[in-house]
Amino acid sequence: MNAERLLEHYEKIADAPDAVARLRTFILDLAVRGKLVPQDREDEPASELLKRITQEKAQLARAGEIRGPKDYSLDQSLKSTAPIGWQIVPLGQVVNRHLGGGTPSKNDGSYWGGNIRWASVKDVGKTKYLDDTTDRITEEGLKNSSSNLIPPGNLIVVTRMGLGQLSINRVPVAINQDLRALFLSSFVDIDFAYSFFLTYRLDGTGLTVKGIKLDELLSIPFPFPPLAEQRRIVAKINELMALCDQLEAARTEREATRDRLAAASLTRLNSPDPQKFRDDARFALEAMPVMTARPDQIRQLRQTILNLAVRGKLVPQDPEETVSSMPPLRQFAAASGIDNEVFEQFRGSIVLPSRWQIAPLARLADNIVDCPHTTPKWTDKGELCVRTNQLRPRALDLSEPRYVSPQTYLERIERLEPRTDDILYSREGGILGIACRVPPGIRLCLGQRLMLIRAGAATRPDFLELVLNSAFITEIARICTTGGAAPRVNMSTVRAYPIPLPPLAEQHRIVAKVDELMALCDQLEASLKTAAETRRKLLHALLNEALTSPVLEHKVAAE
């Protein structure tokens, strides 16, 4: 086993999201394959232990505690895979007895609320040891049901509705019909058996709820080492799992430190010192790969960039520039369907440069139309019809296009035919508050839950697009969302969105700077994905190498 190589490369794989979890699985896989600790030829072999178990069962049968021994089938080819001194046997061969359970009648209050712990699926498998239960029953409930009281120190296995979950009960516990208590032979270390079950996938049957029959459970192949080796394996598992706990804690601390550094950096950007902003921005972009191994903070950085853009903090202002082409107020006043209360409520929540203005979206747009409130009839080919799940902030995903007939297309563009740089906006459903422009050369119509916004002369479409995707507007959309199970933002609310408006020349500079910084974010996100994939591949290769390498050297007894 090349555990040394695994440790040698651990620093390279430690930040893989599942590194510690896979190490835990790896340890258990080695344990039940006989590759975790050396075999010792002085150990009493499992073949001799099986003879002792047979005697043990015979004694229990004579005492009337169990019925006579039962034979369980096993694929004989499995026996040849056992390490030296081990045996592969049906699980039932090392289980002296087993008990199922039941549920006292819920209609009789005298059966419930007593002092007897009563376990169901919800109590088993959360932790290794079962020390308490959600429900308790009375002595009457136990007597008048098929439940059984299981003494401490046995395996409680879920056989239905959570198949394969298990715990070791350290207290007396009654069980329900979805559980089975396995009373192991005294020659089986219960912690070793527990570790085995963590590696074994039970295959159940059933259309709606998977379950396993008792004979199938007791026929699964169980790797049975010498008792002394079982104990060495358990000790080594405990040692290595403690190490995994330390690695997990260290990783959690690293993540927390990175989170704090990233949060502090983004906070400085969101509340910038004008004299230090460029240096702060450069530091954030250069240090982000060190501060995080997760893409979610890149998303935060993207939002920070948009936040700065709509507040006039991303590029310098030019005192010679003014907003000169705002539509006259009378044109806005004549418009209908605008929620003035929304505009007045939120317009003061953003501080803008002195030469900027703020206006309702309806005053800055030549057109704002809603989609037809009907589900399109889809066709295999025809005209492109976009859906909300194709919208990404500032990008339209056409990788999985859907089509409608030419006639349906004409019906769906009756209000306004989309054209290049019109803005698609999702105002209903689970994907709400996302804006992206119609790409050049694309002919399309709107599916359900979408709006179409055409920017006016005072606003660049690409600038309006980034404003609609900024946290300033998405937070307004969140606050104003109605509909409960069918969330939506009303048209009158969207028309009233307070849109920050810089001079056109500054809009151009802002969009150019946003594009530049978003390209850097793309590069950073790609590098994180590449690094994560590299870690996963290295981890997989190292674990595969260790699992397929020869068994550890056997400890040969002295002559």
Side-chain angles (χ1 to χ4, degrees):
M1 181 189 75
N2 291 304
E4 294 79 8
R5 276 174 50 76
L6 186 65
L7 293 174
E8 175 188 344
H9 292 283
Y10 181 74
E11 287 301 320
K12 297 179 182 177
I13 62 174
D15 282 322
D18 57 349
V20 175
R22 292 193 64 182
L23 281 174
R24 293 185 191 276
T25 301
F26 163 71
I27 291 165
L28 295 174
D29 282 343
L30 292 181
V32 301
R33 292 168 183 250
K35 295 184 176 185
L36 194 62
V37 301
Q39 278 81 50
D40 187 339
R41 294 184 187 276
E42 291 186 344
D43 291 342
E44 184 178 22
S47 56
E48 292 299 316
L49 295 182
L50 290 173
K51 296 175 184 177
R52 293 172 176 265
I53 291 174
T54 299
Q55 296 170 358
E56 193 176 50
K57 288 187 175 183
Q59 186 175 350
L60 290 171
R62 287 194 296 271
E65 296 185 32
I66 63 171
R67 296 179 181 177
K70 181 175 180 179
D71 292 330
Y72 298 97
S73 61
L74 182 70
D75 184 347
Q76 295 302 306
S77 65
L78 293 173
K79 294 187 176 183
S80 62
T81 64
I84 293 175
W86 291 41
Q87 292 280 311
I88 306 295
V89 298
L91 177 65
Q93 198 166 341
V94 297
V95 171
N96 282 346
R97 65 190 183 109
H98 46 82
L99 284 174
T103 301
S105 172
K106 298 282 188 178
N107 296 323
D108 194 325
S110 67
Y111 294 169
W112 296 90
N115 296 321
I116 300 173
R117 297 176 181 86
W118 180 81
S120 63
V121 173
K122 60 189 174 186
D123 301 304
V124 178
K126 294 179 180 177
T127 58
K128 179 177 181 178
Y129 296 108
L130 177 60
D131 293 324
D132 207 351
T133 59
T134 304
D135 300 305
R136 298 200 175 202
I137 61 174
T138 62
E139 290 285 353
E140 285 299 309
L142 181 63
K143 291 177 183 177
N144 290 281
S145 72
S146 55
S147 184
N148 285 294
L149 188 64
I150 310 303
N154 291 289
L155 279 181
I156 310 295
V157 182
V158 177
T159 58
R160 184 177 174 273
M161 297 188 65
L163 182 61
Q165 295 172 196
L166 80 158
S167 293
I168 300 171
N169 66 309
R170 293 195 292 196
V171 294
V173 59
I175 60 175
N176 83 343
Q177 64 277 4
D178 297 324
L179 310 179
R180 178 67 58 169
L182 303 181
F183 296 70
L184 300 171
S185 163
S186 59
F187 298 103
V188 179
D189 187 298
I190 192 170
D191 292 306
F192 175 80
Y194 175 83
S195 297
F196 161 73
F197 269 101
L198 293 181
T199 69
Y200 192 86
R201 181 181 178 86
L202 290 178
D203 290 325
T205 56
L207 295 178
T208 54
V209 178
K210 296 291 185 182
I212 189 169
K213 296 178 181 178
L214 179 60
D215 281 353
E216 293 172 341
L217 174 64
L218 296 177
S219 295
I220 65 175
F222 178 73
F224 186 37
L227 184 56
E229 187 175 345
Q230 292 179 48
R231 290 168 179 163
R232 292 197 302 275
I233 290 171
V234 169
K236 179 57 71 173
I237 288 174
N238 291 338
E239 174 189 339
L240 295 176
M241 289 301 177
L243 175 60
C244 285
D245 291 341
Q246 295 173 26
L247 295 175
E248 202 160 42
R251 185 178 189 277
T252 299
E253 180 56 32
R254 284 197 306 275
E255 285 296 310
T257 300
R258 287 168 172 161
D259 285 348
R260 289 193 295 269
L261 287 172
S265 181
L266 295 177
T267 297
R268 291 178 69 180
L269 288 180
N270 278 305
S271 302
D273 179 339
Q275 304 301 319
K276 297 181 179 179
F277 171 69
R278 290 184 180 276
D279 290 339
D280 289 343
R282 187 179 301 108
F283 171 79
L285 290 168
E286 291 176 353
M288 194 61 75
V290 178
M291 290 191 291
T292 184
R294 305 191 321 266
D296 62 291
Q297 287 175 326
I298 309 303
R299 289 194 292 272
Q300 294 176 33
L301 181 58
R302 292 183 191 276
Q303 272 301 323
T304 297
I305 292 168
L306 295 182
N307 179 48
L308 295 171
V310 302
R311 284 168 164 76
K313 295 178 179 180
L314 198 61
V315 300
Q317 279 80 49
D318 185 336
E320 301 298 321
E321 297 171 354
T322 59
V323 177
S324 58
S325 54
M326 176 82 73
L329 187 59
R330 56 182 172 76
Q331 179 177 330
F332 169 59
S336 60
I338 297 172
D339 190 333
N340 258 325
E341 290 185 9
V342 169
F343 178 72
E344 295 300 331
Q345 177 184 353
F346 293 106
R347 67 180 300 182
S349 61
I350 187 170
V351 178
L352 300 174
S354 59
R355 293 182 179 273
W356 285 36
Q357 297 188 32
I358 192 165
L361 175 61
R363 189 176 177 188
L364 301 176
D366 283 347
N367 279 290
I368 302 176
V369 299
D370 202 6
C371 65
H373 291 200
T374 58
T375 302
K377 184 176 180 180
W378 302 107
T379 58
D380 293 335
K381 59 183 180 179
E383 301 288 352
L384 194 65
C385 183
V386 295
R387 298 151 292 153
T388 56
N389 63 2
Q390 293 178 270
L391 268 63
R392 309 285 184 269
R394 306 181 73 223
L396 181 62
D397 182 0
L398 295 175
S399 60
E400 296 182 5
R402 297 289 297 274
Y403 302 98
V404 295
S405 68
Q407 179 59 37
T408 300
Y409 174 83
L410 292 175
E411 293 170 358
R412 300 191 77 82
I413 64 168
E414 187 174 352
R415 297 177 183 177
L416 183 66
E417 183 174 14
R419 69 186 187 194
T420 299
D421 279 342
D422 282 352
I423 297 172
L424 304 167
Y425 185 74
S426 58
R427 73 172 188 91
E428 292 186 45
I431 304 175
L432 189 150
I434 296 177
C436 68
R437 285 174 294 143
V438 176
I442 299 296
R443 176 182 164 97
L444 57 81
C445 61
L446 276 58
Q448 279 189 298
R449 305 182 181 90
L450 289 174
M451 292 174 55
L452 192 66
I453 302 168
R454 181 166 295 167
T459 314
R460 288 176 56 103
D462 45 8
F463 177 78
L464 182 57
E465 175 191 48
L466 69 84
V467 173
L468 291 171
N469 284 303
S470 71
F472 173 58
I473 296 298
T474 58
E475 180 63 10
I476 294 173
R478 186 192 66 80
I479 293 171
C480 296
T481 294
T482 62
R488 65 183 180 277
V489 181
N490 292 330
M491 282 285 291
S492 59
T493 299
V494 176
R495 290 174 174 274
Y497 282 163
I499 305 297
L501 185 68
L504 275 169
E506 187 174 344
Q507 292 180 39
H508 175 79
R509 294 195 301 276
I510 289 171
V511 170
K513 177 57 69 173
V514 168
D515 288 343
E516 176 190 339
L517 296 177
M518 290 299 183
L520 291 175
C521 288
D522 291 342
Q523 295 173 20
L524 183 53
E525 199 165 44
S527 69
L528 289 179
K529 289 179 180 178
T530 300
E533 185 60 25
T534 299
R535 293 188 193 102
R536 288 191 187 96
K537 288 180 178 178
L538 180 58
L539 177 62
H540 178 78
L542 291 169
L543 295 184
N544 187 62
E545 178 182 315
L547 286 171
T548 57
S549 63
V551 179
L552 288 169
E553 292 182 6
H554 299 289
K555 181 179 177 183
V556 181
E559 292 288 328

